[in-house]
Coordinates of all heavy atoms in Angstrom, one line a residue:
A1 N -88.9 34.4 33.8 CA -90.1 35.2 33.9 C -91.2 34.5 33.2 O -91.0 33.8 32.2 CB -89.9 36.6 33.4
T2 N -92.4 34.6 33.8 CA -93.6 34.1 33.1 C -94.7 35.2 33.2 O -94.7 36.1 34.0 CB -94.2 32.8 33.8 OG1 -94.5 33.1 35.1 CG2 -93.2 31.7 33.7
I3 N -95.7 35.0 32.2 CA -96.8 35.9 32.2 C -98.0 35.2 31.7 O -97.9 34.4 30.8 CB -96.5 37.2 31.3 CG1 -97.7 38.1 31.3 CG2 -96.2 36.7 29.8 CD1 -97.3 39.5 30.6
T4 N -99.1 35.3 32.4 CA -100.4 34.7 32.1 C -101.1 35.5 31.0 O -100.8 36.7 30.7 CB -101.3 34.5 33.3 OG1 -101.7 35.8 33.7 CG2 -100.5 33.8 34.4
N5 N -102.1 34.9 30.4 CA -102.9 35.6 29.4 C -103.7 36.8 30.1 O -104.2 37.6 29.3 CB -103.8 34.7 28.6 CG -104.7 33.8 29.4 OD1 -104.8 34.1 30.6 ND2 -105.3 32.9 28.8
G6 N -103.8 36.8 31.4 CA -104.4 37.9 32.1 C -103.4 39.0 32.5 O -103.8 40.0 33.0
G7 N -102.1 38.7 32.2 CA -101.1 39.7 32.5 C -100.4 39.6 33.8 O -99.6 40.4 34.2
S8 N -100.7 38.5 34.6 CA -100.0 38.3 35.9 C -98.5 37.8 35.6 O -98.4 37.0 34.7 CB -100.7 37.3 36.7 OG -102.0 37.7 37.1
T9 N -97.6 38.4 36.2 CA -96.2 38.1 36.0 C -95.5 37.5 37.2 O -95.9 37.7 38.3 CB -95.4 39.4 35.5 OG1 -95.5 40.4 36.6 CG2 -96.0 40.0 34.3
N10 N -94.4 36.8 36.9 CA -93.6 36.2 37.9 C -92.2 36.2 37.4 O -91.9 36.0 36.3 CB -94.0 34.7 38.1 CG -93.2 34.0 39.2 OD1 -93.1 34.5 40.3 ND2 -92.7 32.9 38.9
Y11 N -91.2 36.6 38.3 CA -89.8 36.7 38.0 C -89.0 35.9 39.0 O -89.3 35.9 40.2 CB -89.4 38.2 38.0 CG -90.0 39.0 37.0 CD1 -91.2 39.7 37.3 CD2 -89.5 39.2 35.7 CE1 -91.8 40.6 36.4 CE2 -90.1 40.0 34.8 CZ -91.3 40.7 35.1 OH -91.9 41.5 34.2
V12 N -87.9 35.4 38.5 CA -86.8 34.9 39.4 C -86.2 36.1 40.1 O -86.1 37.2 39.5 CB -85.8 34.1 38.7 CG1 -85.0 34.9 37.7 CG2 -84.9 33.3 39.6
D13 N -85.8 35.9 41.4 CA -85.4 37.0 42.2 C -84.2 37.8 41.5 O -84.1 39.0 41.6 CB -85.0 36.6 43.6 CG -86.2 36.3 44.5 OD1 -87.3 36.6 44.1 OD2 -86.0 35.6 45.5
S14 N -83.3 37.0 40.9 CA -82.1 37.6 40.3 C -82.3 38.6 39.2 O -81.4 39.4 38.9 CB -81.1 36.5 39.9 OG -81.7 35.8 38.8
V15 N -83.5 38.7 38.6 CA -83.8 39.6 37.5 C -84.8 40.6 37.9 O -85.1 41.5 37.1 CB -84.2 38.8 36.2 CG1 -83.2 37.7 35.9 CG2 -85.6 38.3 36.4
K16 N -85.4 40.5 39.1 CA -86.4 41.5 39.5 C -85.8 42.9 39.4 O -84.8 43.2 39.9 CB -87.0 41.2 40.8 CG -87.9 40.0 40.9 CD -88.4 39.7 42.3 CE -89.3 38.5 42.3 NZ -89.8 38.2 43.7
G17 N -86.6 43.8 38.8 CA -86.2 45.2 38.7 C -85.3 45.5 37.5 O -85.0 46.7 37.2
R18 N -84.9 44.4 36.8 CA -84.0 44.6 35.6 C -84.7 44.1 34.4 O -84.5 44.7 33.3 CB -82.7 43.9 35.8 CG -81.9 44.3 37.0 CD -80.5 43.7 37.0 NE -80.5 42.2 37.1 CZ -80.0 41.4 36.2 NH1 -79.4 41.8 35.2 NH2 -80.1 40.1 36.4
F19 N -85.5 43.1 34.5 CA -86.1 42.5 33.3 C -87.6 42.7 33.4 O -88.2 42.8 34.5 CB -85.9 41.0 33.3 CG -84.5 40.5 33.0 CD1 -83.4 41.4 33.0 CD2 -84.3 39.2 32.7 CE1 -82.2 40.9 32.7 CE2 -83.0 38.7 32.5 CZ -81.9 39.6 32.5
A20 N -88.2 42.9 32.2 CA -89.7 43.0 32.2 C -90.3 42.2 31.1 O -89.8 42.2 29.9 CB -90.0 44.5 31.9
I21 N -91.3 41.3 31.4 CA -91.9 40.5 30.4 C -93.2 41.1 30.0 O -93.9 41.7 30.8 CB -92.1 39.0 31.0 CG1 -92.5 38.1 29.9 CG2 -93.1 39.1 32.2 CD1 -92.5 36.6 30.4
S22 N -93.5 40.9 28.7 CA -94.8 41.4 28.2 C -95.3 40.5 27.1 O -94.5 39.7 26.6 CB -94.7 42.8 27.7 OG -93.7 42.9 26.6
R23 N -96.6 40.5 26.8 CA -97.1 39.7 25.7 C -98.2 40.4 25.0 O -98.9 41.3 25.5 CB -97.6 38.3 26.3 CG -98.8 38.4 27.2 CD -99.1 37.0 27.8 NE -99.7 36.1 26.8 CZ -100.1 34.9 27.1 NH1 -99.8 34.4 28.3 NH2 -100.6 34.1 26.2
D24 N -98.4 39.9 23.8 CA -99.5 40.4 22.9 C -100.4 39.2 22.6 O -100.0 38.4 21.8 CB -99.0 41.1 21.7 CG -100.1 41.7 20.8 OD1 -101.2 41.2 20.8 OD2 -99.8 42.7 20.1
N25 N -101.5 39.1 23.3 CA -102.3 37.9 23.1 C -102.8 37.7 21.7 O -102.9 36.6 21.2 CB -103.5 37.9 24.1 CG -103.0 37.7 25.6 OD1 -102.0 37.1 25.8 ND2 -103.7 38.3 26.5
A26 N -103.1 38.8 21.1 CA -103.7 38.8 19.7 C -102.7 38.3 18.7 O -103.0 37.6 17.8 CB -104.2 40.2 19.3
K27 N -101.4 38.6 19.0 CA -100.3 38.1 18.1 C -99.6 36.9 18.5 O -98.7 36.4 17.9 CB -99.4 39.3 17.9 CG -100.0 40.5 17.2 CD -98.9 41.6 17.0 CE -99.5 42.8 16.3 NZ -98.5 43.9 16.1
N28 N -100.0 36.4 19.7 CA -99.3 35.2 20.3 C -97.8 35.5 20.4 O -97.0 34.6 20.0 CB -99.6 34.0 19.5 CG -101.0 33.6 19.7 OD1 -101.6 33.5 20.8 ND2 -101.7 33.3 18.5
T29 N -97.4 36.6 20.9 CA -96.0 36.9 21.1 C -95.7 37.3 22.5 O -96.6 37.8 23.3 CB -95.6 38.1 20.2 OG1 -96.4 39.3 20.5 CG2 -95.7 37.8 18.7
V30 N -94.5 37.0 22.9 CA -94.0 37.4 24.3 C -92.6 38.0 24.1 O -91.9 37.6 23.3 CB -94.0 36.2 25.2 CG1 -93.1 35.1 24.7 CG2 -93.7 36.6 26.6
H31 N -92.4 39.0 25.0 CA -91.1 39.7 24.9 C -90.5 39.8 26.3 O -91.2 39.7 27.3 CB -91.4 41.2 24.4 CG -92.2 41.2 23.1 ND1 -91.6 41.0 21.9 CD2 -93.5 41.5 22.9 CE1 -92.5 41.1 21.0 NE2 -93.7 41.4 21.6
L32 N -89.2 39.9 26.3 CA -88.4 40.0 27.5 C -87.5 41.2 27.3 O -86.5 41.1 26.6 CB -87.7 38.8 27.9 CG -87.0 38.8 29.2 CD1 -88.0 38.8 30.4 CD2 -86.1 37.6 29.4
Q33 N -87.7 42.3 28.0 CA -86.8 43.4 28.0 C -85.8 43.3 29.1 O -86.2 43.1 30.3 CB -87.6 44.8 28.2 CG -86.7 46.0 28.2 CD -86.0 46.3 26.9 OE1 -86.6 46.1 25.8 NE2 -84.8 46.6 27.0
M34 N -84.6 43.2 28.8 CA -83.5 42.9 29.7 C -82.6 44.2 29.8 O -82.0 44.5 28.8 CB -82.7 41.7 29.3 CG -83.6 40.5 29.1 SD -82.6 39.0 28.8 CE -81.8 39.4 27.2
N35 N -82.6 44.8 31.0 CA -81.8 46.0 31.2 C -80.7 45.7 32.3 O -80.8 44.7 33.0 CB -82.7 47.1 31.7 CG -83.7 47.5 30.7 OD1 -83.5 47.5 29.5 ND2 -84.9 47.9 31.2
S36 N -79.7 46.5 32.4 CA -78.7 46.4 33.4 C -78.1 44.9 33.4 O -78.0 44.3 34.4 CB -79.2 46.7 34.8 OG -79.7 48.1 34.8
L37 N -77.8 44.4 32.2 CA -77.4 43.1 32.1 C -76.0 42.8 32.8 O -75.2 43.7 32.8 CB -77.3 42.7 30.6 CG -78.6 42.4 30.0 CD1 -78.6 42.5 28.5 CD2 -79.1 41.0 30.4
K38 N -75.9 41.6 33.3 CA -74.7 41.2 34.1 C -74.1 40.0 33.4 O -74.8 39.3 32.7 CB -75.0 40.9 35.5 CG -75.8 42.0 36.3 CD -76.2 41.5 37.7 CE -76.9 42.5 38.4 NZ -77.3 42.1 39.8
P39 N -72.8 39.8 33.6 CA -72.2 38.6 33.0 C -72.9 37.3 33.4 O -73.0 36.3 32.7 CB -70.8 38.6 33.5 CG -70.5 40.1 33.7 CD -71.8 40.7 34.1
D40 N -73.5 37.3 34.7 CA -74.2 36.1 35.1 C -75.5 35.8 34.4 O -76.1 34.8 34.5 CB -74.6 36.3 36.6 CG -73.4 36.0 37.5 OD1 -72.3 35.5 37.0 OD2 -73.4 36.3 38.7
D41 N -75.9 36.8 33.6 CA -77.1 36.6 32.7 C -76.8 35.9 31.4 O -77.7 35.5 30.7 CB -77.7 38.0 32.4 CG -78.3 38.7 33.6 OD1 -78.9 38.1 34.4 OD2 -78.1 39.9 33.7
T42 N -75.5 35.6 31.2 CA -75.1 34.9 30.0 C -75.7 33.5 30.0 O -75.6 32.7 31.0 CB -73.6 34.8 29.9 OG1 -73.1 36.1 29.7 CG2 -73.2 33.9 28.8
A43 N -76.5 33.1 29.0 CA -77.2 31.8 28.9 C -77.9 31.7 27.5 O -78.0 32.7 26.8 CB -78.2 31.7 30.0
V44 N -78.3 30.5 27.3 CA -79.3 30.4 26.2 C -80.7 30.6 26.8 O -81.0 30.0 27.8 CB -79.2 29.0 25.5 CG1 -80.3 28.8 24.4 CG2 -77.8 28.8 25.0
Y45 N -81.4 31.5 26.1 CA -82.8 31.8 26.6 C -83.8 31.1 25.8 O -83.8 31.2 24.5 CB -83.0 33.3 26.6 CG -82.3 34.0 27.7 CD1 -80.9 34.1 27.7 CD2 -83.0 34.6 28.8 CE1 -80.2 34.7 28.8 CE2 -82.3 35.2 29.8 CZ -80.9 35.3 29.8 OH -80.3 35.9 30.8
F46 N -84.7 30.4 26.4 CA -85.7 29.6 25.8 C -87.1 30.2 26.0 O -87.5 30.5 27.2 CB -85.7 28.2 26.3 CG -84.5 27.4 26.0 CD1 -83.4 27.4 26.9 CD2 -84.3 26.7 24.8 CE1 -82.3 26.7 26.6 CE2 -83.2 26.0 24.5 CZ -82.1 26.0 25.5
C47 N -87.9 30.3 25.0 CA -89.3 30.7 25.1 C -90.1 29.5 25.4 O -89.9 28.4 24.9 CB -89.8 31.3 23.8 SG -91.5 31.8 23.7

């Protein structure tokens, strides 16, 4: 998933409806809320 500083988001099809990306521009942070996780989601996640 990606998010622009204007808030536009993009997701890979396999996580749509389950994951949500958000960011705080003032704090330079980005978050990924992952729900309904599946074994196929097992991976190293890189920011």
Side-chain angles (χ1 to χ4, degrees):
T2 60
I3 184 168
T4 68
N5 53 12
S8 296
T9 59
N10 180 51
Y11 297 91
V12 67
D13 286 346
S14 60
V15 308
K16 286 180 179 177
R18 299 189 298 123
F19 291 10
I21 190 170
S22 60
R23 68 186 283 177
D24 184 329
N25 291 330
K27 296 181 179 179
N28 291 313
T29 56
V30 63
H31 308 281
L32 185 68
Q33 178 66 42
M34 305 186 295
N35 300 324
S36 302
L37 283 161
K38 305 175 180 179
D40 284 349
D41 295 318
T42 294
V44 178
Y45 284 70
F46 297 90
C47 178

